[in-house]
Amino acid sequence: MSGLKDITHKVSRVQVIGPLGVGPMESFTDGHRFYFADDDTARLAAHLTGTKDLAGRTVRISRTKKGWEEKRGKKPAQHLRERLVEGTTVYRLDEEWLFTAAPTTPAVDQ
């Protein structure tokens, strides 16, 4: 049995555009935070690693044996928060990264 907190009942699926224009990508949100499956976390990590945060520190997001971690400048690396959604482990990046809902394309009647 996993020790991760299951938040399935608290979140909804949403397509988002992330920092520096990455996306659209699927995520889950509780209305305040965004959670990403492993593949999407890898996509975000590749996009954000090497960029600067608001304090001007170089960011590195990488996979370790214990999960994903985020390092900013010389500060020790912090593990990304992990939760379960629909039986899948999802990860939440630092609060500083902003995500917005991706525009939806209206269905075209034929």
Side-chain angles (χ1 to χ4, degrees):
M1 176 130 174
S2 173
L4 295 179
K5 182 178 178 185
D6 190 327
I7 59 171
T8 303
H9 63 287
K10 294 182 179 182
V11 298
S12 301
R13 285 183 190 268
V14 63
Q15 291 282 320
V16 297
I17 295 174
L20 307 172
V22 66
M25 57 196 332
E26 186 171 302
S27 72
F28 299 91
T29 185
D30 60 6
H32 301 285
R33 297 169 203 89
F34 294 92
Y35 300 87
F36 299 91
D38 194 67
D39 289 348
D40 289 317
T41 302
R43 186 173 165 199
L44 284 167
H47 191 77
L48 297 175
T49 294
T51 63
K52 304 275 186 189
D53 68 4
L54 294 176
R57 300 171 295 195
T58 301
V59 174
R60 179 181 53 83
I61 302 171
S62 58
R63 188 85 159 99
T64 69
K65 290 180 183 179
K66 295 182 181 181
W68 286 94
E69 67 180 21
E70 184 173 1
K71 182 169 176 41
R72 293 168 180 257
K74 295 180 180 180
K75 287 180 66 176
Q78 299 293 317
H79 287 284
L80 299 185
R81 289 196 183 3
E82 298 178 12
R83 298 291 186 260
L84 282 178
V85 174
E86 300 173 356
T88 300
T89 302
V90 294
Y91 303 89
R92 186 180 93 205
L93 275 72
D94 187 283
E95 301 287 333
E96 181 178 305
W97 301 117
L98 300 177
F99 297 92
T100 57
T104 57
T105 305
V108 177
D109 292 332
Q110 293 186 7

